[in-house]
Amino acid sequence: MEKPRILEVRQGILKKNDQLAGDLRGRFHNANICVIDLVSSPGAGKTAFLEETLRRLNEQGFKVAALVGDLATENDAKRLERSGVPVRQIETHGICHLEAEMIERNLEGWDLEELDFLFIENVGNLVCPSSYDLGEDARAVLHAVTEGEDKPLKYPTIFNSSDIAIITKIDLAEVCEFDREACYENIHAVRPGIPILETSGKKGIGFDEWFAYLKDLKKGVGSRAKAV
Amino acid sequence: MEKPRILEVRQGILKKNDQLAGDLRGRFHNANICVIDLVSSPGAGKTAFLEETLRRLNEQGFKVAALVGDLATENDAKRLERSGVPVRQIETHGICHLEAEMIERNLEGWDLEELDFLFIENVGNLVCPSSYDLGEDARAVLHAVTEGEDKPLKYPTIFNSSDIAIITKIDLAEVCEFDREACYENIHAVRPGIPILETSGKKGIGFDEWFAYLKDLKKGVGSRAKAV
């Protein structure tokens, strides 16, 4: 008896999340802000990558902000604040993913129309965040060379629900005997045609390509906002 | 209205899992088999570590077997079969953790009394597996030096519900600028006194200490079985 009941409750929650995410997406479009959700396993380097992203975009004159999800601690927000942009920590208190409601609640007091980009750093988890739309324009899945090339095949949903795959810690490729060809093949097997970038937050590699992607995405958001 | 309802359903599921795990634990004790659940984030090196563990214990004359959980693919079971011991893949089809019921179902046809050790490789996830007892004697949390030393603080439940912490990929410590002192401090902050091992599946480091731990654990299981 329990299985159909949990499925029903779960579907109810996902439906409610989707509705709220739809509302958020409308609000983001009206404000002409481009929103990116970063997902990955724990320790794939999301925070280092985001720190470098925020710092450089800020230097280039873009208005950026970030929401950072974690089960516990405010360490990431503290780290990211060094980039000089507004950052808020979302402590999920044991919940394994971010939900649209948490995003909405934590936007309070921010003037979205003044921002160009909002980055959301999801909880480190290659499974559960894939089911929760946050109203983002793009989901970026980060995949460290240290994790092994088989992860896209083992966690297909998070890869095939993403819009761009970002290989991180590329500076460790050689020492990890990273098999580039196998990695690309596996990513494209679960999500054909997805763009793939190779980056290192620590060594500052791959950010020009990342910013080209973001600026294209922003243009799309802009033209969509005009069309509304 | 939805929140109390999901909580109630969730508690029902956990309670049912705990009961089944309790039954499994009784069955394992009666069979005098020692059961270890390996948890970690995706890509922390569980499979490489387990492969080396199975191969060496097998060489030493122990009877070992393994159950391997993954959302998709049978790759890990295929890899582990090279060690020459019985291995079964549990495909969870999108579920982010193993449950006692999956363990029970996949033991069918195995004579537990003939085995010394059963290893369970959980789904790569630092959050959800922590809530599900599988009837194991010990939970081992693996933590790669490539993940950053802050993970115990950010995922406290999985660390404080574990019996031993195994640092993996120690051969990459230097190139990752691994801060050993911070790592130990953070693990002990969330789980005071937990034993910590430093290992590398690839380079075969730390297995003597790991086997000493396992043999002690097995002795405890043996004396408990006699007391039943």
Side-chain angles (χ1 to χ4, degrees):
Chain A
M1 289 298 288
E2 222 156 23
K3 291 278 167 186
R5 200 170 153 222
I6 186 101
L7 196 68
E8 183 197 313
V9 174
R10 191 177 144 75
Q11 283 170 344
I13 287 175
L14 285 177
K15 197 175 160 193
K16 201 175 161 184
N17 184 79
D18 281 351
Q19 284 166 347
L20 194 52
D23 295 345
L24 273 178
R25 186 167 282 111
R27 204 171 138 196
F28 293 149
H29 288 181
N30 289 337
N32 196 13
I33 182 175
C34 182
V35 181
I36 299 98
D37 176 22
L38 303 176
V39 295
S40 81
S41 66
K46 279 191 299 307
T47 312
F49 181 75
L50 184 52
E51 191 174 0
E52 195 65 8
T53 298
L54 297 177
R55 192 183 63 76
R56 291 197 190 197
L57 285 176
N58 189 37
E59 276 177 12
Q60 292 175 33
F62 289 97
K63 299 285 181 198
V64 293
L67 295 174
V68 199
D70 268 308
L71 268 68
T73 83
E74 298 206 334
N75 297 354
D76 282 359
K78 283 183 195 145
R79 239 175 103 182
L80 291 171
E81 271 167 5
R82 293 188 303 213
S83 58
V85 313
V87 177
R88 277 187 190 159
Q89 183 82 43
I90 306 180
E91 268 193 73
T92 67
H93 302 290
I95 296 178
C96 53
H97 57 269
L98 290 178
E99 300 184 8
E101 181 273 334
M102 302 176 191
I103 304 301
E104 191 195 30
R105 191 158 25 101
N106 281 279
L107 291 175
E108 214 180 288
W110 277 359
D111 186 353
L112 296 181
E113 303 213 355
E114 289 208 344
L115 292 172
D116 297 304
F117 292 100
L118 171 68
F119 294 90
I120 301 170
E121 183 182 335
N122 219 310
V123 176
N125 183 336
L126 277 187
V127 191
C128 315
S130 66
S131 304
Y132 291 84
D133 184 4
L134 305 178
E136 70 269 31
D137 294 293
R139 180 181 284 173
V141 59
L142 278 69
H143 174 52
V145 297
T146 51
E147 292 174 51
E149 301 79 10
D150 58 339
K151 296 304 163 295
L153 302 178
K154 292 173 72 176
Y155 302 87
T157 312
I158 200 110
F159 279 87
N160 71 29
S161 67
S162 289
D163 302 286
I164 181 167
I166 298 172
I167 298 172
T168 55
K169 308 191 186 184
I170 196 71
D171 53 304
L172 298 177
E174 201 173 329
V175 70
C176 292
E177 298 170 31
F178 174 63
D179 184 339
R180 177 175 281 104
E181 202 179 328
C183 180
Y184 276 62
E185 200 176 296
N186 291 342
I187 292 174
H188 283 140
V190 294
R191 181 74 162 94
I194 191 174
I196 303 176
L197 301 182
E198 298 184 12
T199 71
S200 163
K202 203 169 175 181
K203 305 279 181 190
I205 298 167
F207 284 86
D208 289 345
E209 294 79 0
W210 171 231
F211 293 148
Y213 174 85
L214 289 177
K215 287 166 195 174
D216 269 357
L217 190 69
K218 173 86 179 134
K219 269 187 213 156
V221 171
S223 60
R224 198 174 41 195
K226 275 177 221 149
V228 168
Chain B
M1 287 302 288
E2 220 156 25
K3 291 278 166 184
R5 201 173 152 218
I6 187 101
L7 196 68
E8 184 197 313
V9 173
R10 191 176 145 75
Q11 283 170 345
I13 288 174
L14 286 177
K15 197 175 160 192
K16 200 174 161 182
N17 184 79
D18 280 351
Q19 283 166 348
L20 194 51
D23 294 346
L24 274 177
R25 186 167 283 114
R27 205 172 138 195
F28 293 148
H29 288 182
N30 288 339
N32 197 13
I33 183 176
C34 181
V35 182
I36 299 97
D37 177 22
L38 303 176
V39 296
S40 81
S41 66
K46 277 189 301 305
T47 312
F49 181 75
L50 184 52
E51 191 174 359
E52 196 65 9
T53 298
L54 297 176
R55 191 182 64 74
R56 292 197 189 197
L57 285 177
N58 189 37
E59 276 177 11
Q60 292 175 32
F62 289 97
K63 300 284 181 198
V64 294
L67 295 174
V68 199
D70 267 309
L71 268 68
T73 84
E74 298 206 335
N75 297 354
D76 281 359
K78 282 183 196 145
R79 240 175 103 181
L80 291 172
E81 271 166 5
R82 294 188 302 212
S83 57
V85 314
V87 176
R88 277 188 189 158
Q89 183 83 42
I90 306 179
E91 267 193 73
T92 67
H93 302 289
I95 295 179
C96 53
H97 57 268
L98 290 177
E99 299 184 9
E101 181 273 334
M102 303 176 190
I103 304 302
E104 191 195 29
R105 189 156 28 98
N106 281 280
L107 291 175
E108 214 180 290
W110 276 359
D111 185 352
L112 296 181
E113 303 212 357
E114 290 209 342
L115 292 171
D116 297 305
F117 292 101
L118 171 67
F119 294 90
I120 302 171
E121 183 183 336
N122 219 309
V123 176
N125 183 334
L126 277 187
V127 190
C128 314
S130 66
S131 305
Y132 291 85
D133 184 4
L134 305 178
E136 70 270 31
D137 294 294
R139 181 180 285 172
V141 59
L142 278 68
H143 174 51
V145 297
T146 52
E147 292 174 51
E149 301 80 9
D150 58 339
K151 296 305 164 293
L153 301 179
K154 291 174 72 176
Y155 302 88
T157 311
I158 201 108
F159 279 86
N160 70 31
S161 67
S162 289
D163 301 287
I164 182 167
I166 298 171
I167 298 172
T168 56
K169 307 192 186 184
I170 196 71
D171 52 304
L172 298 177
E174 201 173 329
V175 71
C176 293
E177 299 170 29
F178 174 63
D179 184 339
R180 177 175 281 104
E181 200 180 330
C183 181
Y184 276 61
E185 199 176 299
N186 291 341
I187 292 173
H188 283 141
V190 295
R191 182 74 161 96
I194 190 175
I196 303 177
L197 301 182
E198 298 185 11
T199 71
S200 164
K202 205 168 175 181
K203 305 280 179 189
I205 299 168
F207 284 85
D208 289 343
E209 294 79 1
W210 171 231
F211 293 149
Y213 175 85
L214 289 177
K215 288 166 195 174
D216 269 357
L217 190 69
K218 173 87 177 132
K219 268 186 215 157
V221 172
S223 60
R224 200 174 38 197
K226 275 176 223 150
V228 168

